[in-house]
Amino acid sequence: MPRNFDYADAEPRLYAWWERKGWFKPEVAGSNAEPFVVSMPPPNVTGSLHLGHALFGALEDLMVRYERMRGKAALWLPGTDHAGIATQLQVENMLREEGSSREEVGYEEFLHRTWQWKEEHGGTITRQLRRLGASCDWDRERFTLDDGLSTAVTQAFLTLWEQGLIYRGPRLVNWSPGLQTAVSDLEVESTEEEATLYYFKYPLGDGGHIPVATTRPETILGDTALAVNPADARYAGSIGKSAFVPILRREIPVIGDDSVDMAFGTGALKVTPAHDFNDYEIGQRHKLALVNVLNKDASMNANAGKYAGMDRYDCRDRLWRDMEAAGLAIKTEAYTTRIPRSQRGGEVVEPMMSTQWYVRIQPLAEKAMAAVRRGDIKIVPERYEKVYFHWLENIQDWCISRQLWWGHRIPAWYRDKDGDPEGEIHVGRNPPLGGGWVMEEDVLDTWFSSGLWPFSTLGWPSESGDLERYYPTQVMETGHDILFFWVARMIMMGLWFTDKPPFHTVYLHGLVRDRHGKKFSKSLGNVIDPLTIVDKLGADPLRFTLITSGTPGNDVNLDERRVDHTFRFINKVWQITSFINMNLEGDLELGLPPVEELDLPARWILSRLHRLIANVQHLFDIYQFGEAGSQILAFMWDEFAPYYLEISKHFMYSGTEDEKIATQRVLVAVQDSCLRMLHPFMPFMTEEAWRYIPHDGEALIIADWPNANTTLIDDEIEARMNLLLELVRELRNTRGEYKVDPGKRIKALAKAGAAAKDMAAHDYVFRRLCNVEELQLLAAEDPTPTNAASIVVSDVTLYLPLEGMLDIEAERGRLEGEASRLTQQIAKTQKMLGNDNFLSKAPEAVVQRERDRLADLESAHKQVTERLSSLPR
RNA sequence: GGGCGAUUAGCUCAAUUGGUUAGAGCGUCCGGUUUACACCCGGGAGGUUAUAAGUUCGAGUCUUAUAUCGCCCA
């Protein structure tokens, strides 16, 4: 067995082997196996792996490998998303670098170039996921623009249309001037920014004026009313009068509306229904005209009069100067307000009138809420259910059309009628017979196709074998940042089209941040490339660290020091395997010898192991994977390796043949279970290590998940062994305090009550673990050794004759400290046990534990004080 | 404005039906070439669990308020 785990060699070799063997495919479990299906959240096809991908990769692979080992037909279905805007932007950037543009090359050529780009870069992310060890069924890989998925998208669209749930019409939308497309509410991010609030006079027809404030003066040109609160004594008298749009001198009414905030600005509101969502509402209520003053590129249009053709911000400055000149300007002041920006380009989004396609989402949302309310779908962590409900309760119709070229084209056709090129509309896969029909140029929001992902990838709408066998899926694991974008829409669309919840559990993870909780950003220079870590340390350390660094729903602060630590843990597990491997000879019977034949340390480690297995099982059941991983690590590093392995050497080197074999079987059994449990966390090292211990089966990836054998969990055994180990730790500690050369073998004497038998029978524990040459048991009536340091644990006193080294004063100090610590604890415990409420209300087991503890403490205290009084003055 | 989360050792994090002495890693200090491992081993120091009240026999854990930071929604 190699001295160290060579991940660079093993990772590609093992991955290729697993894949070649077909072990990533659900069919390996047989046709009767219960399915366990996870749809991979499809990354952007042209993206490359970042830590967010690494986190979902680690978590999903963990779940899938775990369920595979539990005998399920585990299917992790991978794929990529065409990511409309993101991909189109990348290709546009490429064209720009060539000195060209999408308009210049034209629609056909642009799509051609984009597909080309996809072919060139599309494999990157999936190759990188493989490096992490992702056990996906790559034969089932899907892409949102595949023929099959496009069919599903069209089907979904047509169904909604036929049900009257899709409509097209002019509405106020969030318009992204740079991208030249509408975007949905979710794609707009508002941030607080420093802006200017402009105060000016709104002239009235009667020669007076009302002062008004705005942050966007250029929209004045599109005002169609002036609104005041009817309860506002200052202005109520003006309701019904006319006002005149500054500079343009267009006549508009002064209206009264309750929604006007009297306390904001001047208390009067200019109403621009075509460029503001609130104003649009007011406009609807008062049947106001809509005056659009912007072109699609956010320059001013003809309605802006002499400002036509100017950029929106140039117009803002110019108009304000003109108003100053006209004596209409009052003042400006600095003002912090929320500026809506495009999630993609970062440019300021303008509310603008535009004709778009919408989904009437209410009926779908109702079903989606009901499913979670009924518990058909559970969200982990649960608190996100509230967030989910809040969003769905206030949901707005979904604008699904995008003015992009890269995406699923909306299956609609137009024909000229009475000079209107869109006079006739037909929705369907194909145009109606007869000429003159032109296909809709808009494409669908990327999330429309993503919303179908759990079933479109399985062949829907065809009721094929995969859909029937693997749908609904089980767990949807993804980031909480796309709960609305994606998860809610999958639930809505899944329920609507398949009448089944697309999954029973949503597991949400957080963002991966740097170790100080900062977002990764190129400008901060704190970006960590997961592949750099994989190159340097292997995939296993990164996976284990990501999983154990956080809890569900919370952000993960990745500390690279933890990755290093995990790397060392992996080495530790390898070394344990290596130790076992080199201490075996010949064929070893698998499984455990009868428990009665086993010694205390063996029964102890088996009890600890099975307790661990039970804990890990429970933690997996409640999706606490991080804690599960940490517990396995703690067991191996703090119990198995330092104690049992060391103790086993006694039997290996000086035991009888039977003892030796029994010990070997225990070692192998424990390590085997640990490797199995660790496999989903760190598949590569565990698979490789497993080959070096006797095992049953072809590969760990398809081995059975361990079951806890509760008959092996034994409190009494653990308590007996704990006493010995506690003595060991105290002995080591005392040796340290007296600066006894660690290599020096010393003698120990013990007065042990009930534990005497265990100590005598397991004196090798002390020889192995704390270099005790000889352990001599004294009878109660024997004189206590003088000139010896003493150690008290429970009812055992150990004496270490340290001829010449013992400092009586130091020893007295040590014992006095010990006595006072014990006194305090005794007092605390007595107080607890003296409380009738505690005795009557606490569970019996807790009370009993305190009683036992008190007995131990009192016994120890008695011995310490005796010892103190026997020290020479 | 509404909602959610976080606040635990110098730093990064655990601690899930409330129950012994609140645990790890890194760092730090002391000591070690023990035949699995120096990618290691043994030992130590370091905590009023943000603050204040409350519920409880018992609170890091439950309740309320406050503070700070972060996120989501309007």
Side-chain angles (χ1 to χ4, degrees), chain A residues 605-606 609 635 640 665-675:
Chain A
I605 200 67
L606 289 171
L609 172 72
F635 170 77
F640 187 42
R665 290 174 71 184
V666 171
L667 283 168
V668 169
V670 174
Q671 184 66 354
D672 175 75
S673 294
C674 288
L675 289 176

Side-chain angles (χ1 to χ4, degrees), chain A residues 180-475:
Chain A
Q180 302 260 319
T181 179
V183 292
S184 76
D185 299 342
L186 283 177
E187 292 163 280
V188 177
E189 289 174 348
S190 296
T191 45
E192 296 257 306
E193 292 181 32
E194 287 302 316
T196 307
L197 191 57
Y198 299 81
Y199 288 81
F200 63 98
K201 298 174 181 171
Y202 224 108
L204 299 180
D206 62 9
H209 71 265
I210 291 178
V212 176
T214 180
T215 55
R216 295 189 296 155
E218 70 280 8
T219 63
I220 292 169
L221 303 171
D223 286 351
T224 56
L226 191 57
V228 298
N229 195 308
D232 193 333
R234 295 170 293 177
Y235 311 125
S238 300
I239 295 172
K241 292 183 181 166
S242 323
F244 288 90
V245 174
I247 310 298
L248 295 184
R249 301 293 301 163
R250 184 156 47 74
E251 185 175 355
I252 59 171
V254 178
I255 60 172
D257 195 285
D258 293 336
S259 70
V260 179
D261 180 357
M262 292 188 274
F264 177 78
T266 64
L269 179 72
K270 58 183 276 310
V271 185
T272 324
H275 295 291
D276 184 283
F277 287 96
N278 283 325
D279 293 5
Y280 183 80
E281 299 280 312
I282 297 174
Q284 295 288 84
R285 282 200 288 278
H286 297 270
K287 299 194 169 43
L288 298 177
L290 288 155
V291 175
N292 180 7
V293 295
L294 290 173
N295 292 313
K296 289 186 173 176
D297 62 356
S299 62
M300 308 307 292
N301 70 14
N303 288 331
K306 66 174 184 173
Y307 304 99
M310 293 179 79
D311 170 79
R312 53 185 157 165
Y313 299 118
D314 293 341
C315 171
R316 178 179 298 179
D317 293 342
R318 182 67 179 280
L319 173 65
W320 187 249
R321 280 208 303 277
D322 289 349
M323 286 170 67
E324 282 175 327
L328 295 173
I330 301 172
K331 63 171 180 178
T332 63
E333 64 183 32
Y335 180 68
T336 305
T337 187
R338 296 183 73 86
I339 307 287
R341 288 181 181 275
S342 156
Q343 189 194 37
R344 279 291 158 198
E347 56 173 340
V348 176
V349 163
E350 295 289 341
M352 209 189 299
M353 287 306 295
S354 171
T355 299
Q356 302 288 343
W357 293 84
Y358 291 86
V359 176
R360 215 181 296 282
I361 204 76
Q362 196 69 35
L364 283 74
E366 294 296 339
K367 281 194 153 196
M369 284 189 278
V372 173
R373 256 188 218 113
R374 271 199 308 270
D376 292 351
I377 299 174
K378 270 181 44 194
I379 303 181
V380 179
E382 204 180 318
R383 64 185 138 90
Y384 279 98
E385 291 187 0
K386 242 167 140 178
V387 182
Y388 170 86
F389 285 128
H390 182 256
W391 186 70
L392 284 172
E393 277 158 11
N394 298 289
I395 198 165
Q396 302 288 312
D397 281 355
W398 177 13
C399 175
I400 50 171
S401 44
R402 295 290 180 277
Q403 289 65 52
L404 303 175
W405 287 354
W406 178 240
H408 296 100
R409 257 173 95 177
I410 290 177
W413 312 80
Y414 301 106
R415 187 157 70 173
D416 187 295
K417 190 181 178 190
D418 307 328
D420 177 359
E422 298 181 358
E424 268 189 274
I425 299 183
H426 170 80
V427 172
R429 283 194 181 81
N430 299 300
L433 295 176
W437 291 92
V438 179
M439 192 175 187
E440 166 68 270
E441 288 186 359
D442 288 358
V443 300
L444 287 162
D445 180 3
T446 302
W447 298 104
F448 190 91
S449 50
S450 316
L452 311 172
W453 187 251
F455 47 101
S456 65
T457 50
L458 291 169
W460 185 88
S462 145
E463 299 283 342
S464 71
D466 263 8
L467 190 73
E468 200 187 341
R469 173 127 173 81
Y470 300 114
Y471 187 82
T473 70
Q474 272 64 46
V475 178

